[in-house]
Amino acid sequence: ANLLDVPASEVIMKCLELGLVVTINQRLDIDTITLIAEEYGYKVEQQFATEFISEEEEEEEEVDESMLEPRAPIVTIMGHVDHGKTSLLDYLRKSNITAGEAGGITQHIGAYEVEYEGKKITFLDTPGHEAFTAMRARGAQVTDIVILVVAADDAVMPQTIEAIDHVKAAGVHMVIAINKIDKPGADPERIKQQLAERDILVEDWGGTYQCAEISAKTGQGVSDLLEKLLLEAEMLDLKANPHKRAVGVVIESRLDKGKGPIATVLVQDGTLKVGDHFVAGHHYGRVRALLNEKNERMKTAGPSQPAVVLGFEGIPQAGDRFVVMKDEKAARELASKRQQLKREQEAKQVKMLTLQQISERIAQGEVHDLPIVIKADVDGSAEALADALINLNTDEVKINVVRKAVGPITESDVLLASASGAVIIGFNVRANLKAKELAEKENVDIRTYRVIYDAIDDLKSAMEGMLKPSL
Ligand code: GDP
């Protein structure tokens, strides 16, 4: 937007027209940039593209088809609240006989492996679609198959439908688990009927979705479910190359008192080893140790295997891509480049906020603070306006009055607004010419009103993330 000399919101609008939902702090790919630049009569040169746009030097290794080996499916459990997602995860974990070790104290690390008839299945153990969507929003798709749990003594419910929508949007495979069949009121056929009404036809209704009738409480039908999962996985023909540097996704992270920043990484391709230098998001690190969910040390983690990684320099975010680099230098360089980029974006963000953009970001839950500078003709109205606006505060969004004063809008108001990312609200006053010029340069939004209620209305809509663009 800066290079084209148009407001960022205009570029966002153009993206929307292209069917891309983007936010202000998102990087666009070269094709999108080319299309948008063309609309303004600019031509994008490739040199420019590599400098600013390319997904940095993660240096993909060459794909060698002959090196590919089957990998375990990665499964997420979704469904309506209380339909038995957690119970199913618990049952699977308890009955898990990986490598013949039953029992043992396990900890929640975000994912675990189950072995069934010699084959492995990886379960993400944050049930529900919030985690799934949050990861997807960050560009990380880790799930191969979703198990949709529906309670046989209940019905297809709002979150069942939401889960179906997410599965469809993500294009992942789905297996249905009709749960609680041990309960007296259980009626699996009714559930199948209700699913059919939503265009989800299970196999014995002539459809393509595999369906198992289970009880997460007694374990009845769970092996049938696992068999169906493995069959689904076979159809997907999931493969990865374990003979290369690891690539994966951070699925959980936290600061541990003794161990420092730690994160669970789900390896998607390659093999992760102790000693590897890596980049996760904008953090660099070196694998000091790999732990499984029993807190035992592992030497390596291969495709579809989760591992707690020790050795991060900072705490990565869930959904961050995790990439092993060829050496320490490459890892450090990439991480510092990303940090630099992040700083630049943050610096830009403070300066580039109109009320409209703030409103959009509130709608996305990215902003919880709305700084404003109030200028009015008389003290009484400045006070009244400030009081009325502060009354709009909610738990989610707070108006923060950075300055409240009498008189025309001046350069000093604009500078303050620019430094604090604030919007200027003028009541019965105007901005002088110099202030207007500076505001233009600094991208500070000046809004003037003659009726106090209009100001309140606009701010209220902005806080609800509903402000309409003023044309
Ligand atoms: P979630 O909200 O989907 O994770 O559901 P939960 O796993 O917490 O289960 C909700 C309730 O249903 C709990 O009280 C479970 O004990 C119970 N429940 C779950 N699965 C079964 C089942 O197969 N049979 C019976 N009888 N109860 C179940």
Side-chain angles (χ1 to χ4, degrees):
N2 277 347
L3 288 164
L4 296 172
D5 202 19
V6 297
S9 58
E10 207 172 304
V11 174
I12 292 176
M13 287 302 283
K14 290 271 181 241
C15 289
L16 285 172
E17 284 168 19
L18 294 169
L20 293 167
V21 183
V22 297
T23 61
I24 196 163
N25 48 2
Q26 190 172 334
R27 308 184 78 198
L28 301 176
D29 61 34
I30 178 72
D31 296 335
T32 314
I33 290 172
T34 307
L35 275 173
I36 290 173
E38 273 172 5
E39 293 219 9
Y40 292 97
Y42 290 93
K43 199 166 158 266
V44 175
E45 277 175 33
Q46 195 58 35
Q47 172 213 351
F48 186 69
T50 43
E51 198 178 329
F52 289 105
I53 301 131
S54 74
E55 214 355 91
E56 302 120 295
E57 300 78 44
E58 276 181 9
E59 3 122 297
E60 271 289 310
E61 288 176 79
E62 274 178 40
V63 184
D64 183 348
E65 290 282 329
S66 67
M67 300 288 235
L68 291 179
E69 291 175 22
R71 65 166 179 88
I74 300 166
V75 179
T76 298
I77 300 185
M78 295 204 232
H80 195 72
V81 63
D82 279 348
H83 279 195
K85 299 178 293 291
T86 313
S87 306
L88 179 57
L89 280 164
D90 287 349
Y91 183 86
L92 288 165
R93 171 180 265 140
K94 260 185 254 143
S95 61
N96 185 14
I97 34 134
T98 310
E101 311 160 44
I105 298 164
T106 60
Q107 337 187 352
H108 169 99
I109 63 164
Y112 63 85
E113 293 176 281
V114 161
E115 195 168 309
Y116 183 74
E117 293 187 339
K119 293 202 170 112
K120 283 188 174 166
I121 304 172
T122 303
F123 284 90
L124 290 177
D125 74 353
T126 311
H129 53 250
E130 285 77 11
F132 181 81
T133 359
M135 297 271 249
R136 252 171 54 77
R138 312 212 55 224
Q141 170 108 306
V142 280
T143 303
D144 301 305
I145 305 170
V146 164
I147 297 181
L148 180 69
V149 174
V150 194
D153 66 337
D154 196 6
V156 167
M157 297 293 279
Q159 285 164 37
T160 320
I161 296 162
E162 269 178 51
I164 293 172
D165 292 342
H166 286 302
V167 167
K168 284 188 173 165
V172 294
H173 281 227
M174 179 166 72
V175 172
I176 318 282
I178 298 183
N179 189 32
K180 306 199 186 182
I181 52 160
D182 61 295
K183 286 186 96 170
D187 185 357
E189 286 308 307
R190 193 184 64 226
I191 302 297
K192 291 178 197 173
Q193 156 92 49
Q194 290 172 349
L195 287 169
E197 285 161 14
R198 302 270 160 195
D199 282 336
I200 302 294
L201 285 176
V202 298
E203 279 183 332
D204 51 348
W205 279 55
T208 51
Y209 291 97
Q210 299 196 81
C211 174
E213 293 173 20
I214 64 161
S215 164
K217 194 174 173 189
T218 67
Q220 187 188 342
V222 172
S223 53
D224 179 40
L225 174 66
L226 293 177
E227 262 159 41
K228 286 180 167 154
L229 268 181
L230 288 170
L231 194 67
E232 199 72 29
E234 229 169 78
M235 289 193 278
L236 284 167
D237 193 26
L238 304 165
K239 290 205 166 113
N241 175 5
H243 310 286
K244 57 174 227 175
R245 293 195 294 269
V247 173
V249 173
V250 171
I251 54 172
E252 275 193 16
S253 61
R254 67 188 171 87
L255 187 64
D256 184 277
K257 264 195 201 135
K259 297 177 185 135
I262 61 173
T264 303
V265 172
L266 185 58
V267 177
Q268 293 176 293
D269 205 1
T271 297
L272 182 60
K273 304 182 194 75
V274 173
D276 278 350
H277 295 278
F278 63 81
V279 172
H282 55 267
H283 292 295
Y284 151 85
R286 178 171 174 271
V287 181
R288 268 197 288 127
L290 295 171
L291 303 172
N292 65 15
E293 63 163 351
K294 294 195 189 98
N295 217 9
E296 300 161 340
R297 279 175 185 262
M298 301 157 73
K299 284 206 179 92
T300 61
S304 296
Q305 258 191 308
V308 175
V309 176
L310 274 62
F312 282 87
E313 295 227 311
I315 309 172
Q317 270 186 291
D320 273 347
R321 227 170 109 75
F322 179 98
V323 186
V324 171
M325 304 293 288
K326 69 174 188 292
D327 53 31
E328 177 169 353
K329 186 166 169 278
R332 278 190 189 279
E333 276 174 7
L334 182 55
S336 78
K337 215 163 135 183
R338 286 184 177 175
Q339 268 165 25
Q340 174 70 25
L341 202 75
K342 187 171 161 270
R343 276 195 296 272
E344 282 169 17
Q345 283 179 341
E346 278 168 359
K348 271 188 212 147
Q349 270 173 37
V350 179
K351 286 193 177 161
M352 293 192 16
L353 292 180
T354 62
L355 190 60
Q356 173 68 32
Q357 288 162 335
I358 295 176
S359 177
E360 281 160 13
R361 294 180 55 185
I362 288 173
Q364 278 151 359
E366 293 171 0
V367 164
H368 304 281
D369 179 41
L370 208 173
I372 53 171
V373 168
I374 296 177
K375 291 303 286 279
D377 54 346
V378 290
D379 211 321
S381 36
E383 287 293 347
L385 187 55
D387 287 349
L389 294 180
I390 285 164
N391 266 333
L392 298 175
N393 283 354
T394 64
D395 284 345
E396 283 86 28
V397 192
K398 297 230 165 354
I399 286 192
N400 167 16
V401 180
V402 214
R403 172 181 287 170
K404 172 179 62 181
V406 173
I409 298 159
T410 64
E411 280 169 281
S412 123
D413 297 321
V414 175
L415 285 174
L416 177 67
S418 165
S420 46
V423 172
I424 300 177
I425 306 290
F427 179 65
N428 278 336
V429 291
R430 289 167 169 273
N432 65 32
L433 190 66
K434 283 215 165 127
K436 272 189 191 156
E437 280 170 8
L438 187 63
E440 196 115 307
K441 200 165 127 241
E442 297 285 333
N443 258 314
V444 167
D445 199 5
I446 299 180
R447 306 175 75 99
T448 51
Y449 298 89
R450 301 219 152 266
V451 182
I452 226 168
Y453 291 107
D454 289 346
I456 297 169
D457 273 351
D458 274 1
L459 269 275
K460 189 160 182 270
S461 317
M463 287 172 82
E464 288 163 356
M466 311 276 283
L467 189 71
K468 302 263 182 331
S470 51
L471 296 169

